[in-house]
Amino acid sequence: MKLQGKTAIVTGGAGGIGRAITTVFVQQGADVLFVDIDRERGESLEQELGSHARFLRIDISEQTSAAVIRDAALSAFGSIDILVNNAHASRQAAFVETTSEMFDLSFNTGFYPTVHLMQACYEQLRASKGSVVNFASGSGLEGMPRQTSYAAAKEAIRGVSRVAANEWAPDGIRVNVVCPFAATEGVSAWQAQHPEQAAQAVAKVPLRRIGNPETDIAPVVAFLASEEARYITGQTVMADGGMIQLH
Ligand SMILES: NC(=O)c1ccc[n+]([C@@H]2O[C@H](COP(=O)([O-])OP(=O)(O)OC[C@H]3O[C@@H](n4cnc5c(N)ncnc54)[C@H](O)[C@@H]3O)[C@@H](O)[C@H]2O)c1
């Protein structure tokens, strides 16, 4: 078990990829505080996973949430080894139609919670020589049309992740980024609504399929969070079937 005895915080842990990360982390021996805005799904996953998973219903776009999440993890498990900043909400629009409200949504659910949680948990991560895994997207790397506010926040997350990786390396804290491509509920609904678009997207994936959150993405996050990745920091890891190949 890769994460035996580790304690983790996972944002957006009740749905999609976050749900898979919470589940796989518990399977790998971790104690996980997972937070989400969706109470129903969070409570049902908490029941399913048992005493190694604790759910906190919170909106991470609220400025005070970072300290509340850190304190909840400490009171549940006493330490923080791993921080996974996974949650992110955004709206698509043409570049000229992208509004300040759209930037606010994307930065307030993606960028700022990532930064604020890293800051709030810094002392605990330093004490544990911990690991941070943040989430970005091929949409940002490739500049996908209609993703202005999302791409901006995702590339900002990659930027600050590299800064923290360099600043915190002497403390023994590693910071990495994952860019996934996976069939979450949202992606599956899009596939069902726009089968031609989805087929075109799959055709661009060298491995010719959309990833599975539990078997293709969460194990990559568990690896990066584990001691096995002790010599990896400041990296963006593409878990996307080979769609984007970084040079
Ligand atoms: N699914 C993909 O193929 C894909 C591709 C590229 C990047 N990503 C990134 O991977 C991460 C996970 O994506 P996903 O597809 O699982 O997303 P998702 O939308 O399926 O799940 C996100 C989870 O975050 C929660 N959440 C949303 N806003 C919140 C808030 N304000 N406070 C607390 N919780 C909140 C949601 O309730 C949900 O459970 C995101 O950062 C996303 O941008 C996903």
Side-chain angles (χ1 to χ4, degrees), residues 11-19 35-38 41 58-62 85-89 108-109 135-139 150 154 178-187 210:
T11 68
I17 292 168
R19 187 181 187 89
V35 306
D36 207 290
I37 203 166
D38 187 332
R41 300 200 71 196
I58 199 161
D59 180 347
I60 59 166
S61 67
E62 284 166 15
N85 287 301
N86 159 80
H88 198 145
N108 289 338
T109 59
F135 270 76
S137 171
S139 299
Y150 181 63
K154 285 305 199 193
V178 171
C179 294
F181 185 39
T184 53
E185 299 87 342
V187 171
I210 301 184

Side-chain angles (χ1 to χ4, degrees), residues 17-245:
I17 292 168
R19 187 181 187 89
I21 295 168
T22 301
T23 305
V24 167
F25 272 29
V26 169
Q27 287 165 356
Q28 291 293 332
D31 286 323
V32 183
L33 177 89
F34 68 105
V35 306
D36 207 290
I37 203 166
D38 187 332
R39 183 182 301 282
E40 208 179 310
R41 300 200 71 196
E43 286 177 351
S44 92
L45 184 63
E46 185 181 41
Q47 281 220 324
E48 200 180 293
L49 293 177
S51 61
H52 292 290
R54 294 280 175 83
F55 171 61
L56 174 68
R57 193 270 163 204
I58 199 161
D59 180 347
I60 59 166
S61 67
E62 284 166 15
Q63 289 212 346
T64 51
S65 67
V68 175
I69 294 167
R70 175 204 55 212
D71 292 348
L74 287 177
S75 87
F77 305 124
S79 61
I80 300 167
D81 299 295
I82 300 162
L83 169 62
V84 181
N85 287 301
N86 159 80
H88 198 145
S90 68
R91 302 266 173 278
Q92 298 189 15
F95 190 92
V96 290
E97 283 159 14
T98 302
T99 62
S100 299
E101 289 71 28
M102 291 175 193
F103 280 110
D104 286 346
L105 174 70
S106 187
F107 276 79
N108 289 338
T109 59
F111 177 74
Y112 285 117
T114 296
V115 170
H116 292 153
L117 263 169
M118 288 171 72
Q119 291 171 332
C121 296
Y122 170 65
E123 287 304 334
Q124 287 72 33
L125 291 167
R126 193 164 67 139
S128 63
K129 300 202 182 305
S131 170
V132 179
V133 181
N134 292 331
F135 270 76
S137 171
S139 299
L141 283 155
E142 296 256 282
M144 196 179 278
R146 301 181 60 79
Q147 299 284 11
T148 311
S149 61
Y150 181 63
K154 285 305 199 193
E155 288 298 281
I157 288 170
R158 290 206 318 128
V160 295
S161 298
R162 288 193 293 267
V163 173
N166 288 320
E167 265 192 37
W168 293 356
D171 296 320
I173 305 171
R174 296 178 300 103
V175 183
N176 291 292
V177 175
V178 171
C179 294
F181 185 39
T184 53
E185 299 87 342
V187 171
S188 301
W190 165 78
Q191 246 183 318
Q193 277 167 10
H194 307 282
E196 277 175 26
Q197 255 183 19
Q200 277 171 9
V202 173
K204 286 189 199 147
V205 181
L207 291 174
R208 291 290 186 277
R209 63 186 177 82
I210 301 184
N212 175 295
E214 270 197 39
T215 52
D216 293 320
I217 313 298
V220 175
V221 181
F223 165 69
L224 288 173
S226 77
E227 295 296 324
E228 288 180 359
R230 67 175 76 83
Y231 202 48
I232 301 177
T233 196
Q235 304 303 316
T236 295
V237 176
M238 307 305 299
D240 66 351
M243 204 161 37
I244 296 175
Q245 298 171 8

